[in-house]
């Protein structure tokens, strides 16, 4: 295969956008306009007649690369990359995605990149037919990866739908299940007072704290810079989180909670934890507490004018629906079967992503 190496500047040119967000106010039409996070809205004008590549050049998302349709535009935090006739636009897109543009980032407060710096990046340029063949292969892989991701999301949505189907809204309780105070179903303990943890106690790479900011969409995502030593962890043994606990934010956004999946975590000062007594699963409690109508109920129960706050007496009074065990078992049998299918889908996704990474390396080095 005959391949020549050309710089990015030799196969494309850049153009700038001067469109600001304020220019889009009170403007509507049939042409799409995009920003750093993707599609914004439709407007009554467009800048590019043909498909093009756009790169975020300023602020959040700097370096993000998008292949965008004809008769559309981008706002001023992005720049147009227009290919010449030497290169297939989809091949160019994958080539730029493979580049390490982060080495060209400048600016501490607001990062940005300049085309004049990265235009010297080299691209392998086979003949046009080979470029199209490579682009077709990578595009097909992207479609398969997209479909597999949607399949995984569909399994999650299926479980959520099944939960509502079997248990209903936990506040309006359409199936008239018995309601009991959370204190009858679980032990509840608030995180350590601030006086027990000081700035000098925090280290990197130790036992991570779980504060409300570390609970995102029902999953714990710890900060390895906000951890404590073994000695401090042992000293605060009363606040150790166990696998199967539900850790919940007690300040700010109400209903933010997650099931603990790993050992060696500590309940943070802004959190509390709920340890079930066995009548209900932790997963069930997490789904109840984070249910939209239940979150609204918690907001009404919280105290504090400037920032909603929870304490043990308030959380103890949460009214939890308690369906018969056979219904709970039927639900978790369904979850288990769905999780097996989801696991297989994730394995398939990993294989596709590994294959794409390997091919990108083969094609672009």
């Amino acid at each position: 295969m005959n391949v020549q190496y050309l710089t990015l500047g030799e196969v494309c040119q850049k153009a700038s956008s001067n469109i600001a967000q304020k220019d889009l106010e009170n403007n509507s039409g049939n042409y799409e306009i995009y920003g750093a996070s993707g599609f914004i809205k439709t407007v009554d004008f467009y800048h590019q007649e043909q498909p093009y590549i756009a790169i975020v050049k300023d602020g959040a998302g700097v370096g993000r690369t998008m292949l965008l349709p004809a008769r559309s535009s981008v706002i001023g935090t992005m720049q147009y990359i227009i290919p010449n006739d030497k290169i297939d636009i989809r091949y160019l897109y994958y080539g730029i995605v493979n580049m390490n543009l982060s080495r060209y980032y400048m600016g501490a407060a607001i990062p940005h990149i300049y085309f004049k710096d990265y235009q010297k990046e080299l691209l392998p340029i086979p003949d046009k037919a080979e470029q199209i063949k490579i682009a077709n292969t990578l595009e097909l892989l992207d479609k398969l990866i997209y479909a597999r991701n949607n399949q995984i999301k569909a399994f999650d949505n299926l479980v959520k739908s099944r939960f509502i189907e079997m248990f209903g809204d936990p506040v309006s309780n359409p199936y008239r299940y018995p309601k009991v105070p959370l204190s009858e179903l679980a032990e509840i303990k608030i995180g350590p007072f601030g006086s027990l943890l000081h700035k000098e106690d925090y280290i990197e790479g130790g036992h991570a704290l779980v504060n409300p900011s570390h609970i995102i969409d029902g999953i714990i995502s710890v900060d390895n810079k906000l951890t404590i030593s073994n000695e401090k962890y042992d000293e605060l043994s009363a606040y150790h989180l166990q696998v199967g606990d539900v850790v919940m934010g007690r300040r700010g956004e109400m209903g933010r909670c997650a099931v603990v999946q790993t050992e060696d975590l500590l309940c943070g000062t802004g959190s509390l934890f709920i340890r079930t007594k066995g009548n209900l699963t932790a997963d069930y409690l997490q789904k109840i507490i984070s249910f939209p109508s239940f979150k609204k109920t918690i907001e009404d129960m919280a105290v504090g004018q400037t920032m909603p706050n929870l304490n043990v007496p308030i959380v103890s009074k949460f009214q939890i629906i308690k369906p018969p065990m056979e219904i709970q078992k039927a639900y978790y049998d369904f979850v288990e079967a769905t999780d097996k299918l989801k696991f297989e889908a994730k394995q398939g996704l990993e294989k596709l992503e590994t294959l794409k990474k390997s091919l990108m390396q083969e094609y672009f080095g």
Side-chain angles (χ1 to χ4, degrees), residues 326-352:
E326 60 268 22
I327 293 178
Q328 294 182 49
K329 183 179 184 305
Y331 171 73
Y332 282 102
D333 286 345
F334 177 82
V335 171
E336 184 178 0
T338 306
D339 279 347
K340 287 179 181 177
L341 295 174
K342 182 179 172 182
F343 177 74
E344 292 171 2
K346 283 186 172 180
Q347 285 185 313
L349 175 62
E350 288 173 4
K351 289 178 181 178
L352 288 170

Side-chain angles (χ1 to χ4, degrees), residues 35-50:
S37 299
F39 172 76
I40 298 176
K41 62 179 294 188
T42 54
V43 292
D44 62 4
F45 63 87
Y46 64 86
H47 278 188
Q48 299 299 325
E49 184 71 38
Q50 303 299 328

